[in-house]
Amino acid sequence: MHRSQCLEMSAASSLLSEEQFLCSICLDVFTDPVTIPCGHNFCKNCITQHWDISVQCQCPICKELFNTRPELRINTFISEMAAQFRKSAQMKASSCPDQRCAKPGEVPCDVCTGTKLKALKSCLVCLVSYCETHLEPHQRIKTFKRHKLIDPEENLEGRMCKEHDGPLQLFCKTDQMCVCLLCTESDHMSHHFVPLKEEYEGKKAELGKTEAEIQQTIQERQLKIQEIKHSVELSKEDADREIADSVRVFTALMQSVERGQAELIETIEEKQKTTEKQAEGFIKELEQEISELMKRTTEIKQLSRTEDQLHLLQSFPSLNTPPHTKDWTEVSVHSSYEGTVRRAVAQLEETLRKEMEKLLEAELKRVQQYAVDVTLDPDTAYPFLILSDDGKQVKYGKKKNLPDKPERFSSCSCVLGKQSFSSGQFYYEVQVKGKTDWDLGVARGSINRKGEITLSPEDGYWTIWLRNGNEYIALANTSVVLSLKTKPQKVGVFVDYEEGLVSFYDIDAAALIYSYTGCTFTEKLYPYFSPESNDGGKNSAPLIISPVNHKD
């Protein structure tokens, strides 16, 4: 049954208007109704409280003044009629399916007696919450229609001024609080006030802006989550690739070791067999000679014992001559195994070297994926340095009159890149062809740029340099002399910020020059360059930041 049908039942069941049984103060059906001298009716408690807080005894409806406070007696007729009407209203409410009892957590109707129905609206003027039935006067009576209705609110007392018991209708901009009309004439006098609606609209706009900012932050965080997940996926791919490479390389090495070991053993065993065979031949030959000699010895003994003088003299020439034997003085059996194992290990080293070359080529391809566009920062350049217009080349030249900015190197022929990096990986390449001296690497932003500087990680520099055309040194806290097979013409610089890694590569040879590992970075890093002095023209070639050509 719909609400309209409920109201039709109500009209049919009573000849009296609902408005006749409503107290104009509480807007509810009379409770203990009393009639004051002017003839208007109110709940006894409502009119008593009204007069308690008023200076004069006055009718709230017609404004008639009473010199003395009237004695209040319950109007039994109206009380009985109101009770009958309330019972009828409750029966209608219980028969209407559109209304239901207030559940825990829901705002109940303040007017309902007995079973409390769920409030449909709260009135900011009456400071009362109404169910659909008790809200009806606010939708029908002209005076009540002007009241401000909101969604059900449980704590309506919080909308009243605690000091003056008046509704909070204004906002004090000075004290940033809601106030009533009386507050403007007392504690908040001369303050700046605006209607609640105006402040509401402003604050609502601010909340909209805040919400938009929060939504943007949420989107940024969601993008960061996707970025992190993507990074994890890439890391997983890198890990899988590294595992596959390690399995391949170590399997090849183990196979090479096993094969080398088997070949080495086979070679040694073949040599030993050859030696043994040779020895067997020598022994057989010697045994044959011994047999011949023993036979001759026996014949000589027999001849020596003969008494036949003629026979001895005739046989003597043949027996007195020793039988023909081989000269065994220089004959020996010897097998040399010296260097056999060394040569086998050398072969393993060659295999390992080839695998290392393959790994370095693959490594260089991977780091080149992190290539960034680096340009030189003229504000940091030493006054003797000449930078190209595109910021890609630097060489030593004549001194220029430049402003002595805090970021400029004052005594060393250095310049930094414009770009800084405080996370992730980055890579760039520099052509050093034709130079006999140069410095390359990265430096933290807080390095000392005035006076003489020391290139070391302790002082904020991770660099390598070339001196005298062939002396390569990694400038760690303790310098490391580098032994390079080829002279680099182009050097790649790779940094992994979180991993604490700075690596230098010989691009043409696809070889690792040097790596700083286990570094701790806590601030921005800048690419660092020094072409050094011209050295009488020997070192006049520029350092050139080159585009990265990914190796196929």
Side-chain angles (χ1 to χ4, degrees), residues 314-506:
Q314 289 177 337
S315 302
F316 179 80
S318 60
L319 293 178
N320 189 47
T321 303
H324 177 73
T325 57
K326 184 176 179 179
D327 184 4
W328 293 91
T329 305
E330 302 297 330
V331 177
S332 63
V333 177
H334 177 70
S335 294
S336 176
Y337 300 102
E338 296 298 329
T340 305
V341 177
R342 177 180 54 76
R343 286 190 295 273
V345 173
Q347 184 62 42
L348 287 177
E349 288 180 344
E350 179 63 19
T351 302
L352 181 60
R353 185 187 64 78
K354 291 179 179 178
E355 290 296 335
M356 284 293 292
E357 288 178 353
K358 293 178 184 178
L359 289 175
L360 282 170
E361 287 180 3
E363 180 180 322
L364 186 55
K365 289 180 184 178
R366 288 197 296 272
V367 301
Q368 285 178 330
Q369 296 175 2
Y370 299 101
V372 294
D373 184 18
V374 174
T375 53
L376 302 171
D377 185 357
D379 290 338
T380 66
Y382 179 56
F384 281 85
L385 296 183
I386 300 175
L387 276 59
S388 62
D389 292 338
D390 62 359
K392 295 293 185 179
Q393 299 186 30
V394 58
K395 64 181 180 179
Y396 199 89
K398 292 183 179 181
K399 184 176 181 180
K400 299 183 293 295
N401 291 322
L402 299 173
D404 186 18
K405 297 184 177 182
E407 59 267 32
R408 190 181 303 284
F409 290 94
S410 64
S411 300
C412 297
S413 56
C414 315
V415 61
L416 299 180
K418 282 185 179 180
Q419 294 73 22
S420 64
F421 306 90
S422 56
S423 64
Q425 302 89 14
F426 64 94
Y427 173 86
Y428 60 95
E429 293 179 356
V430 183
Q431 180 178 305
V432 296
K433 184 178 180 180
K435 296 192 66 61
T436 60
D437 300 90
W438 50 256
D439 309 346
L440 288 175
V442 293
R444 62 178 179 232
S446 62
I447 52 172
N448 175 36
R449 308 183 191 194
K450 305 303 179 184
E452 295 298 322
I453 62 175
T454 302
L455 297 181
S456 70
E458 191 174 58
D459 294 295
Y461 298 86
W462 291 266
T463 59
I464 62 173
W465 75 15
L466 168 66
R467 292 293 182 269
N468 303 319
N470 59 4
E471 298 174 9
Y472 295 92
I473 294 177
L475 299 164
N477 292 327
T478 299
S479 296
V480 179
V481 177
L482 305 176
S483 180
L484 306 184
K485 293 183 177 180
T486 59
K487 182 176 181 178
Q489 303 297 300
K490 187 183 291 185
V491 176
V493 182
F494 172 71
V495 176
D496 188 324
Y497 195 96
E498 284 76 18
E499 193 68 22
L501 173 69
V502 182
S503 294
F504 300 86
Y505 296 89
D506 180 342

